[in-house]
């Protein structure tokens, strides 16, 4: 197969040997791609700084052969690096790790194009890096929108079994949404008033309504979103327990966060999770060195 050029988000890296690194990228046109970057851990490597988690890069990859399927990174050009502001803020960093792990799991292994998922992930990381919204809320919004883009959007406005219009007080993870009193099976979570409205606001990007939610509503809504995602993935997300949820209580006491506007940046969009595909830019011409999981407890 011929080498291809694509835009991707670095979601994971592994050290290989003495100087190489295996890079996992979520790309726009080729889905999840794993490739070996040769000698990037050497001090003279020009690609090493580009191929780090939280970085958006333009890469040229030669597809791999054999059972491993690992390609080879021929060139890499950095387009945007969000690592520094995320690593400097623990709540933002842990929420960013949730974004990367979720994007990797939802992309799957079939190599299908993922422009919407890539746009959501990059938009969420930008929002976290620029402190536009509370990190926990950004992570919850990304989980819900990423599931919606993958066809797993939770049903919140009616009974998932009979279709009776809600709101309903019970949520059944295995069924995929809220259920009425007549269809309610065992094992349902009884929702605090306002949870369904909070989840719907996160899906729609209505941040004024989201920031006004009580800490109890935010905590239960976070548990619902996490349980719904992990049920469909059939595995737990290792980064979810590390998310700093205490920031929600502090935000409720202090009011809405101010929007950070870097002096060199253009005005930020109202929705921190844009879904538009990233603009394409050509690479520089010069060569560069080279069993279903257990049901999660819902608070």
């Amino acid at each position: 197969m011929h080498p291809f050029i694509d835009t991707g988000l670095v979601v994971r890296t592994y050290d290989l040997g003495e100087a190489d690194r295996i890079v996992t990228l979520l790309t726009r046109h080729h889905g999840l791609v794993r490739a070996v970057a040769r000698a990037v851990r050497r001090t003279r490597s020009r690609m090493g700084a580009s191929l780090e988690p939280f970085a958006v890069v333009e890469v040229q990859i030669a597809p791999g052969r054999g059972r491993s399927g690992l390609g080879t990174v021929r060139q890499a050009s950095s387009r945007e690096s969000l690592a520094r502001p995320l690593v400097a803020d623990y709540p933002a960093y842990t929420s960013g790790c949730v974004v990367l792990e979720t994007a990797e799991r939802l992309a799957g292994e079939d190599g299908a194009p993922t422009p919407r998922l890539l746009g959501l992930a990059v938009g969420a990381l930008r929002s976290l890096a620029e402190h536009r919204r509370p990190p926990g809320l950004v992570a919850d919004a990304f989980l819900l929108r990423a599931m919606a883009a993958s066809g797993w959007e939770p049903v919140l406005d009616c009974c998932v079994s009979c279709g009776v219009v809600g709101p309903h007080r019970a949520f059944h993870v295995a069924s995929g949404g809220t259920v009425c009193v007549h269809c309610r099976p065992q094992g349902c979570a009884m929702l605090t008033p306002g949870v369904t409205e909070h989840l719907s606001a996160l899906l729609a990007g209505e941040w004024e309504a989201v920031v006004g939610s009580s800490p109890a509503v935010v905590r239960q809504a976070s548990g619902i979103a996490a349980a719904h995602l992990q049920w469909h993935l059939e595995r737990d997300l290792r980064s979810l327990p590390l998310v700093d949820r205490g920031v929600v209580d502090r935000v409720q006491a202090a009011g809405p966060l101010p929007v950070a506007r870097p002096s060199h940046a253009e005005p930020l969009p109202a929705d921190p999770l844009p879904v538009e595909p990233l603009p394409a830019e050509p690479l520089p011409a010069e060569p560069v060195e080279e069993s279903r999981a257990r049901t999660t407890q819902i608070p």
Side-chain angles (χ1 to χ4, degrees):
M1 297 177 64
H2 297 289
F4 62 84
I5 297 176
D6 206 343
T7 301
L9 171 67
V10 181
V11 298
R12 189 185 297 270
T13 61
Y14 306 89
D15 290 344
L16 178 67
E18 295 183 356
D20 302 339
R21 178 173 292 155
I22 298 176
V23 183
T24 303
L25 302 109
L26 178 66
T27 62
R28 182 193 301 146
H29 301 298
H30 298 83
L32 202 65
V33 176
R34 291 183 174 86
V36 179
R38 304 291 183 186
V40 295
R41 291 159 57 199
R42 293 176 180 170
T43 55
R44 295 185 179 182
S45 173
R46 298 174 59 186
M47 291 195 301
S50 302
L51 298 175
E52 294 289 346
F54 304 111
V56 182
V57 294
E58 196 88 8
V59 291
Q60 183 185 65
I61 296 177
R65 297 179 180 178
R67 299 180 61 182
S68 67
L70 286 175
T72 302
V73 179
R74 296 281 186 83
Q75 296 183 14
S77 175
S78 177
R79 295 186 54 186
E80 184 176 9
S81 179
L82 302 168
R84 180 171 294 183
L86 289 176
V87 172
D89 182 8
Y90 180 77
Y93 172 74
T94 54
S95 295
C97 291
V98 170
V99 171
L100 293 186
E101 186 178 0
T102 302
E104 181 182 4
R105 301 305 180 199
L106 290 176
E109 303 290 342
D110 56 359
T114 57
R116 181 174 173 81
L117 183 60
L118 176 62
L120 285 169
V122 174
L125 294 176
R126 286 173 181 160
S127 180
L128 291 169
E130 296 168 3
H131 307 290
R132 303 184 201 173
R133 309 289 179 186
L137 295 181
V138 174
D140 293 339
F142 174 77
L143 294 185
L144 292 167
R145 298 186 194 183
M147 284 189 288
S150 301
W152 294 337
E153 179 178 350
V155 177
L156 301 171
D157 57 350
C158 64
C159 175
V160 70
S161 297
C162 66
V164 174
V165 177
H168 300 295
R169 291 289 308 280
F171 189 96
H172 193 233
V173 173
S175 299
T178 56
V179 289
C180 65
V181 293
H182 303 291
C183 303
R184 187 169 65 199
Q186 293 183 349
C188 288
M190 298 307 299
L191 303 179
T192 302
V195 171
T196 55
E197 291 80 3
H198 179 85
L199 292 171
S200 298
L202 287 175
L203 271 169
E206 298 172 355
W207 291 99
E208 293 77 10
V210 169
V211 174
S213 300
S214 67
V217 167
V218 173
R219 282 192 293 270
Q220 189 174 29
S222 299
I224 291 290
H228 184 74
L229 172 66
Q230 293 177 130
W231 174 267
H232 287 288
L233 290 178
E234 299 186 351
R235 64 187 303 170
D236 293 341
L237 294 182
R238 293 179 296 176
S239 54
L240 269 177
L242 303 178
V243 176
D244 184 359
R245 298 289 182 183
V247 71
V248 174
D249 298 333
R250 296 193 294 272
V251 169
Q252 297 296 331
L257 290 180
V259 176
R261 296 180 181 271
S263 58
H264 64 279
E266 298 180 357
L268 304 176
D271 188 343
L273 303 180
V275 299
E276 297 82 5
L278 300 176
E281 296 180 3
L283 278 172
E286 299 80 20
V288 183
E289 294 186 58
E290 332 240 332
S291 98
R292 184 173 295 276
R294 66 183 183 276
T295 303
T296 305
Q297 290 292 335
I298 301 173

